[in-house]
Amino acid sequence: MFVMGIDPGLSRCGYGAVRQEKGEPVAVVSGVITTPDSNPLAERLAELLRELRQLMSRLSPEVVVVERVLFQANAKTAMSVGQASGLALAAAAEAGIPVVQYSPNEVKQAVTGWGNAGKEQVQRMVQVLLDLPEKPCPPDRADALALALCHLASAPLARAASAAMASSAGSRR
Amino acid sequence: MFVMGIDPGLSRCGYGAVRQEKGEPVAVVSGVITTPDSNPLAERLAELLRELRQLMSRLSPEVVVVERVLFQANAKTAMSVGQASGLALAAAAEAGIPVVQYSPNEVKQAVTGWGNAGKEQVQRMVQVLLDLPEKPCPPDRADALALALCHLASAPLARAASAAMASSAGSRR
């Protein structure tokens, strides 16, 4: 399974593609899309949309995982994060790629075992799980890889649950 | 001048195109884009993006005016409104159309003379200003027309101010 995580943001949008090979997750590519603060908002959003589209078309992931944006203390940041997440979700759907969302707490829980883990802990755990030579920086990049890992960890359970439900539905017919 | 207003939203996204003819604003077309609640979020956003793109390409407005989204009491609504506004801004920038944003209060102030006017008052004033046979419904449609009217009312002042600044800068050379 080949999964691309996206940690939406306007100043920094993290992305991280992870492939599951023989049961082991392997980081394929990861990075951060930045748009210059000095450009008008609409142009920055159009640039982000273009970059996300190119990434999805170049990598062709089987699933795109986008962080579910929750309300934050900083209203201005939350709004631009919301706008960026809208673009990521729309770009994936336009490319015909299934989209899954997880909350920040679900991702931290899956990757570190603790829903309130800090940025640094997520970075270190992503480094360990993907056997990277150094911790992924900036945190947006680590968060995107963590989203992909969270989905790879959740997907087998979800598949097993839906198979069990299908089989139980079948046996009731 | 030909201006298209967009009142962003996921369940209902209002649009309203207004042309200034011999100093009088004339409504060209207005309506509401809806996306079904039953569809997944990413597909709804992709559908909204497609519809906005088609509208902009069909109408070719000189300016697109998008409501500046502010934080609301309802966190869930504010997030989807933010996502929709990101799509509207990006679609306009991709089409090469200049984008302007006004806050809800600026729009109400321009159209009704009162920044705290209610939905009903905005609808009635838009009806009067555009000489429509009935008040525009739903409110999202009236709000989109009000955004276009707000820009038409503000643009001459802005043009005069920038002309005055250019002339004053020229005389200082």
Side-chain angles (χ1 to χ4, degrees), chain B residues 121-144:
Chain B
Q121 287 168 298
V122 171
Q123 286 174 294
R124 292 217 174 277
M125 281 307 291
V126 166
Q127 181 189 358
V128 170
L129 291 168
L130 290 170
D131 197 18
L132 300 173
E134 49 197 38
K135 67 175 190 182
C137 286
D140 319 72
R141 192 175 150 205
D143 287 346

Side-chain angles (χ1 to χ4, degrees), chain B residues 4 42 47:
Chain B
M4 181 162 121
E47 192 182 331

Side-chain angles (χ1 to χ4, degrees), chain A residues 41-43 45-46 49-50 53 69-71 75-76 78-79 82-83 85-87 89-90 93-94 99 101, chain B residues 41-43 45-46 49-50 53 69-71 75-76 78-79 82-83 85-87 89-90 93-94 99 101:
Chain A
L41 174 63
E43 281 177 29
L45 290 165
L49 179 58
R50 201 162 42 238
R53 241 190 242 131
V69 183
L70 303 174
F71 267 61
K76 204 176 170 188
M79 194 44 72
Q83 289 171 327
S85 82
L87 298 182
L89 294 165
E94 282 204 316
V99 189
Q101 290 195 279
Chain B
L41 174 62
E43 280 177 31
L45 290 165
L49 179 58
R50 201 162 43 238
R53 239 190 243 131
V69 183
L70 303 174
F71 267 61
K76 202 173 170 191
M79 195 43 74
Q83 290 171 328
S85 82
L87 298 182
L89 294 165
E94 282 204 314
V99 189
Q101 290 196 281

